[in-house]
């Protein structure tokens, strides 16, 4: 199975592509989609949509795992990110990809084993799980790889193997 992990944003969208063979994940690639500051929101959304379509076309993932939004204090930034997330979901939907959503707590639990883990712990465990010499860079890409790892671990759970459905799926 090929998993496309996405850390949504508007200025920066992190992505990570993992292959999962016999429950063993391996990193294919990771990186970021960036949009220029100062551009109109509609222009930035169009660029994200086009780049997501190209990413999906280039790597042919079987599923997309995307982080659910968490609003902390800046609701204005959260709304812009929600717009970007909507475009990301649309591109996956149009490509026929099953979409699975995970909260930050679920990602931390799956990768580190502790839902309140610190960001540096998640990045370090991501590096260790994938036997990487250095952690994925930048942080948005590392987050996307962790989201893909979360799905890799969830999809190989006993519930998934027994034909159950994931409560994280939007499908």
């Amino acid at each position: 199975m090929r998993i496309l992990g996405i850390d949504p944003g508007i200025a920066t969208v992190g992505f990570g592509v993992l292959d999962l063979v016999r429950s063993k994940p391996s990193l294919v690639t990771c990186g970021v989609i960036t949009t220029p500051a100062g551009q109109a929101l509609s222009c930035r959304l169009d660029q994200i949509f086009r780049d997501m379509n190209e990413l999906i076309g280039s790597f042919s993932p079987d599923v997309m795992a995307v982080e659910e939004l968490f609003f902390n204090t800046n609701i204005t930034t959260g709304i812009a990110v929600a717009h970007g997330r909507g475009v990301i979901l649309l591109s996956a939907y149009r490509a026929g990809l099953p979409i699975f959503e995970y909260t930050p707590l679920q990602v931390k639990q799956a990768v580190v084993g502790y839902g309140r883990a610190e960001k540096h712990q998640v990045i370090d465990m991501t590096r260790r799980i994938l036997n990487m010499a250095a952690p994925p860079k930048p942080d948005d890409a590392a987050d996307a790889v962790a989201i893909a790892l979360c799905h890799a671990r969830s999809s190989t759970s006993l519930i998934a193997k027994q034909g159950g459905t994931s409560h994280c799926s939007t499908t």
Side-chain angles (χ1 to χ4, degrees):
M1 170 180 6
R2 181 161 281 183
I3 305 164
L4 172 59
I6 297 291
D7 180 30
I10 196 71
T12 306
V13 175
F15 67 87
V17 180
L18 295 182
D19 279 341
L20 185 64
V21 179
R22 293 188 203 107
S23 300
K24 178 151 178 48
S26 62
L27 181 66
V28 175
T29 192
C30 65
V32 293
I33 294 169
T34 58
T35 62
Q39 276 192 339
L41 177 62
S42 56
C43 190
R44 294 175 103 173
L45 293 174
D46 180 61
Q47 182 173 345
I48 291 169
F49 185 70
R50 285 184 286 116
D51 288 350
M52 283 299 303
N53 291 337
E54 184 177 330
L55 190 62
I56 291 167
S58 296
F59 292 99
S60 302
D62 298 304
V63 298
M64 177 189 283
V66 63
E67 188 172 65
E68 286 186 7
L69 290 184
F70 173 74
F71 290 99
N72 196 5
T73 53
N74 191 341
I75 195 77
T76 304
T77 301
I79 290 170
V81 172
H83 288 307
R85 190 172 178 279
V87 167
I88 291 164
L89 295 175
L90 176 62
S91 67
Y93 173 79
R94 286 201 172 168
L97 290 178
I99 302 165
F100 295 85
E101 299 178 80
Y102 298 95
T103 66
L105 189 117
Q106 288 172 309
V107 174
K108 292 174 182 181
Q109 179 69 39
V111 176
V112 179
Y114 176 59
R116 303 278 183 224
E118 299 291 326
K119 186 176 194 75
H120 70 90
Q121 293 172 303
V122 177
I123 292 171
D124 186 56
M125 281 304 295
T126 298
R127 180 191 64 77
R128 289 172 184 236
I129 291 167
L130 295 172
N131 296 315
M132 300 173 70
K137 293 285 182 186
D139 283 355
D140 296 301
D143 291 345
V145 173
I147 293 161
L149 274 175
C150 176
H151 182 72
R153 292 188 161 194
S154 297
S155 68
T156 59
S157 73
L158 184 59
I159 293 171
K161 286 181 181 178
Q162 292 176 347
T165 58
S166 170
H167 65 280
C168 301
S169 175
T170 60
T171 57

